[in-house]
Amino acid sequence: MKPITSFQDLTSYLKGQGCRKRVAVVCPYDKNTRDACLRALEDGFADLLLVGDPDTISEDARFKEFSDRVTVIAADSCDDAAAKAVALVKSGEANVLMKGLINTDNYLRAILNKQTGILMPGSVLTHITAAQMPEHGRLLFFSDAAVIPFPTLEQRKAMVGYMAGVCRKFGIAVPRIALVHCSEKISEKFPVTIDYIKIKEMAASGMFGDAVVDGPMDVKTAFESEAADIKGIDSPIGGLADALIFPDIEAGNAFYKTITHFCHAENAGMILGTPVPVVLPSRSDDADSKYYSMAAACLISG
Amino acid sequence: MKPITSFQDLTSYLKGQGCRKRVAVVCPYDKNTRDACLRALEDGFADLLLVGDPDTISEDARFKEFSDRVTVIAADSCDDAAAKAVALVKSGEANVLMKGLINTDNYLRAILNKQTGILMPGSVLTHITAAQMPEHGRLLFFSDAAVIPFPTLEQRKAMVGYMAGVCRKFGIAVPRIALVHCSEKISEKFPVTIDYIKIKEMAASGMFGDAVVDGPMDVKTAFESEAADIKGIDSPIGGLADALIFPDIEAGNAFYKTITHFCHAENAGMILGTPVPVVLPSRSDDADSKYYSMAAACLISG
């Protein structure tokens, strides 16, 4: 498989696969979510399970064109819609779960519910973003800008594992994963740097499969071999990182919001650690971003 | 005073002031530092105290042209040069301290030395960066990407105070300072958000002078009123932040390195909390960045 280097590549690849995923969408009431759903239907890589108030859903007449590929599942409230969508994942009827116009806390509560939710025992929930920037010739993956505040070693290990898996799904046979920190120095003052030593040992032992995992290094060093040279860093990443693991949510989120505002990044995001990828768009995400997130989730869920 | 909105503005302003600052440069042995020094001499806003090995310094014949404005101060070693330059600050002979080709740790050791250094009792050392990006119509100030790992409330208070002062020196009469966090929610889970409440109370009491201080908010919300609207945030920052205070060094450094690599940012950086601004360039900074840092420090020191 050739690496997928853009969202256009991603949707072309999905179209070419001729295989449709079933996406359960909770409360598809807002225009951006609906536009994303319609594009996924048109591009033929998703069938939809629209969960919510049937009257509100049928306001959008465009869904009628795809009546053989769209199922409306009635729910009394947003909480009920979230619970029913999660049940569809649990029963294997849905391959992807996606959030529409429902409060994030309520959506997550349904996912995390101990009896009826889909959190797997011992698994770590983490958020991965794929970003496309006009001046960066390929997709850039990073974690975690949204879910885990201050990762433990166990959570970092899971983050790297998921990241390696996601990169491979995008056709990157040997993903280069940079462990980000403000410096390249190992120091007790920054416990994350000690965690990174252990993560590299795990990588060396083959825990993450065929992958180049290195750090600590800063964001610039991850993408510029010159910056590494000046600092005397000889890293197998070689300034060609495919993915960044951030030390904490503050750094991950600062990166995410900075590339979105200042670098015109388009983003696809999803949560991993559940039986199927969970799409959790921000309120301020546009229709493109919701569409790319859905596409990325369909790719990963396969 | 009209706000200074670019580094070109900054150097024009300094030229127009017709007032020269005395900059002590420790070990000006590398080309980038020397180029920066020469431009400052040519632009007429600095006289130089070059501290180090006289033979190495005189390798660069260009300094001879400015023999009336350049004083070479002999030192036996880099450590000796740092100590002598710090003494020049202490005696009031230097208005700015700048690092050339000397290890950062050794340079800082001379500054922080309890007997001979220039750390003032009770003061907080913090790093401020001014960034210029092609697509951002004005300078953007942020703190702290380099010095304080995980600020205490007392340190955050100092950071905001220095930031307000720096912005005013750049002609921003009422600086808008955004307190950055990954979310706009106040939560015990993130102690920084509790600190921010207290910082806002201090701002309201007039502690930082005439300034708009608000948060927590993410980097996008600080610059986009639309993002704030969608999130229902009604902030006096209004998407027009002049300055960002980051929650920790990981976030500050991620921002710094991201705008440098992905947004072609040019940066000027300095440490505040000492009697005069301290310029501490990265090894990988180019001559422009060293020159802008020197210019910014000359402005601030006045």
Side-chain angles (χ1 to χ4, degrees), chain A residues 128-147:
Chain A
I128 288 186
T129 312
Q132 174 171 309
M133 287 178 269
E135 296 200 22
H136 193 69
R138 58 194 193 283
L139 293 174
L140 192 169
F141 300 85
F142 59 96
S143 173
D144 180 329
V147 173

Side-chain angles (χ1 to χ4, degrees), chain A residues 135 181 224 250 257 261 264, chain B residues 135 181 224 250 261 264:
Chain A
E135 296 200 22
H181 173 54
E224 295 179 15
E250 299 289 12
K257 299 299 163 70
H261 177 74
H264 312 289
Chain B
E135 296 200 22
H181 173 55
E224 295 178 14
E250 299 289 12
H261 177 73
H264 312 289

Side-chain angles (χ1 to χ4, degrees), chain A residues 105 133 135-136 140 145 149-150 180-185 189-192 218-220 223-224 226-227 230-232 244 246-255 257-264 282-285, chain B residues 105 133 135-136 140 145 149-150 180-185 189-192 218-220 223-224 226-227 230-232 244 246-255 257-264 282-285:
Chain A
D105 289 344
M133 287 178 269
E135 296 200 22
H136 193 69
L140 192 169
F150 301 99
V180 174
H181 173 54
C182 57
S183 156
E184 68 281 7
K185 280 184 211 141
K189 266 195 251 175
F190 290 99
V192 62
D218 67 34
V219 170
K220 205 171 168 222
F223 297 105
E224 295 179 15
E226 272 177 46
I230 292 172
K231 293 190 171 186
L244 304 175
F246 281 97
D248 63 33
I249 198 172
E250 299 289 12
N253 193 271
F255 179 78
K257 299 299 163 70
T258 301
I259 61 172
T260 305
H261 177 74
F262 288 106
C263 311
H264 312 289
S282 254
R283 282 161 292 180
S284 56
D285 283 351
Chain B
D105 290 344
M133 288 179 268
E135 296 200 22
H136 193 68
L140 192 169
F150 300 99
V180 175
H181 173 55
C182 57
S183 155
E184 69 280 6
K185 280 185 212 141
K189 266 197 248 173
F190 289 99
V192 63
D218 66 35
V219 171
K220 206 171 166 222
F223 297 105
E224 295 178 14
E226 273 177 47
I230 292 172
K231 291 188 173 189
L244 304 175
F246 281 98
D248 64 32
I249 197 172
E250 299 289 12
N253 193 271
F255 179 77
K257 300 299 164 69
T258 300
I259 61 170
T260 305
H261 177 73
F262 288 107
C263 312
H264 312 289
S282 258
R283 283 160 293 181
S284 56
D285 282 351

Side-chain angles (χ1 to χ4, degrees), chain B residues 19-33:
Chain B
C19 148
R20 296 203 295 262
K21 299 293 163 61
R22 289 182 307 280
V23 181
V25 189
V26 181
C27 304
Y29 303 155
D30 60 302
K31 187 171 181 312
N32 286 350
T33 299

Side-chain angles (χ1 to χ4, degrees), chain A residues 17-300:
Chain A
Q17 291 297 96
C19 148
R20 295 204 296 261
K21 298 293 164 61
R22 288 183 308 279
V23 181
V25 189
V26 181
C27 305
Y29 304 154
D30 60 302
K31 184 168 185 311
N32 286 350
T33 299
R34 286 170 172 174
D35 286 355
C37 285
L38 261 298
R39 282 177 69 183
L41 286 168
E42 281 159 8
D43 288 343
F45 61 76
D47 290 345
L48 301 183
L49 304 161
L50 303 178
V51 192
D53 174 51
D55 292 340
T56 312
I57 293 169
S58 62
E59 275 169 11
D60 195 324
R62 296 176 297 172
F63 286 122
K64 285 188 191 140
E65 260 186 70
F66 298 93
S67 57
D68 53 327
R69 290 170 50 209
V70 173
T71 307
V72 175
I73 293 157
D76 299 332
S77 65
C78 282
D79 283 348
D80 185 39
K84 282 185 169 148
V86 165
L88 292 169
V89 168
K90 211 160 183 168
S91 65
E93 288 164 87
N95 311 118
V96 168
L97 183 64
M98 177 160 172
K99 175 184 168 301
L101 197 64
I102 171 177
N103 182 290
T104 298
D105 289 344
N106 295 23
Y107 179 66
L108 284 176
R109 204 172 303 129
I111 292 166
L112 302 177
N113 184 294
K114 279 185 186 148
Q115 272 80 48
T116 58
I118 47 175
L119 190 59
M120 297 177 290
S123 79
V124 171
L125 278 198
T126 185
H127 189 267
I128 288 186
T129 312
Q132 174 171 309
M133 287 178 269
E135 296 200 22
H136 193 69
R138 58 194 193 283
L139 293 174
L140 192 169
F141 300 85
F142 59 96
S143 173
D144 180 329
V147 173
I148 305 179
F150 301 99
T152 60
L153 175 62
E154 203 55 32
Q155 289 172 321
R156 293 191 206 284
K157 178 180 132 189
M159 287 161 73
V160 175
Y162 291 138
M163 185 58 89
V166 165
C167 287
R168 283 190 203 104
K169 289 273 189 177
F170 276 81
I172 304 167
V174 186
R176 296 177 193 225
I177 301 174
L179 306 172
V180 174
H181 173 54
C182 57
S183 156
E184 68 281 7
K185 280 184 211 141
I186 304 285
S187 156
E188 297 279 350
K189 266 195 251 175
F190 290 99
V192 62
T193 63
I194 312 298
D195 280 4
Y196 285 172
I197 296 178
K198 292 174 191 155
I199 295 285
K200 287 201 285 181
E201 286 166 4
M202 294 175 199
S205 77
M207 181 170 286
F208 309 117
D210 213 357
V212 175
V213 179
D214 199 30
M217 71 178 68
D218 67 34
V219 170
K220 205 171 168 222
T221 308
F223 297 105
E224 295 179 15
S225 55
E226 272 177 46
D229 288 348
I230 292 172
K231 293 190 171 186
I233 302 171
D234 182 19
S235 167
I237 300 282
L240 294 168
D242 297 301
L244 304 175
I245 302 292
F246 281 97
D248 63 33
I249 198 172
E250 299 289 12
N253 193 271
F255 179 78
Y256 179 37
K257 299 299 163 70
T258 301
I259 61 172
T260 305
H261 177 74
F262 288 106
C263 311
H264 312 289
E266 299 185 286
N267 300 300
M270 80 201 81
I271 292 176
L272 298 181
T274 41
V276 305
V278 169
V279 180
L280 177 74
S282 254
R283 282 161 292 180
S284 56
D285 283 351
D286 60 18
D288 280 350
S289 172
K290 291 184 188 201
Y291 168 65
Y292 297 142
S293 296
M294 196 191 279
C298 285
L299 176 76
I300 302 305

Side-chain angles (χ1 to χ4, degrees), chain B residues 209-233:
Chain B
D210 213 359
V212 175
V213 179
D214 198 32
M217 69 179 68
D218 66 35
V219 171
K220 206 171 166 222
T221 308
F223 297 105
E224 295 178 14
S225 54
E226 273 177 47
D229 289 345
I230 292 172
K231 291 188 173 189
I233 302 172

Side-chain angles (χ1 to χ4, degrees), chain B residues 1 4 11 15 56 60 102 105-106 113 115 117 133 141 148 150 169 174-175 191 202 211 221 225 230 249 253 255:
Chain B
M1 169 181 183
I4 292 169
T11 53
K15 283 185 215 175
T56 313
D60 196 324
I102 170 176
D105 290 344
N106 295 23
N113 185 293
Q115 273 78 50
M133 288 179 268
F141 300 85
I148 305 178
F150 300 99
K169 289 273 190 180
V174 186
M202 294 175 199
T221 308
S225 54
I230 292 172
I249 197 172
N253 193 271
F255 179 77

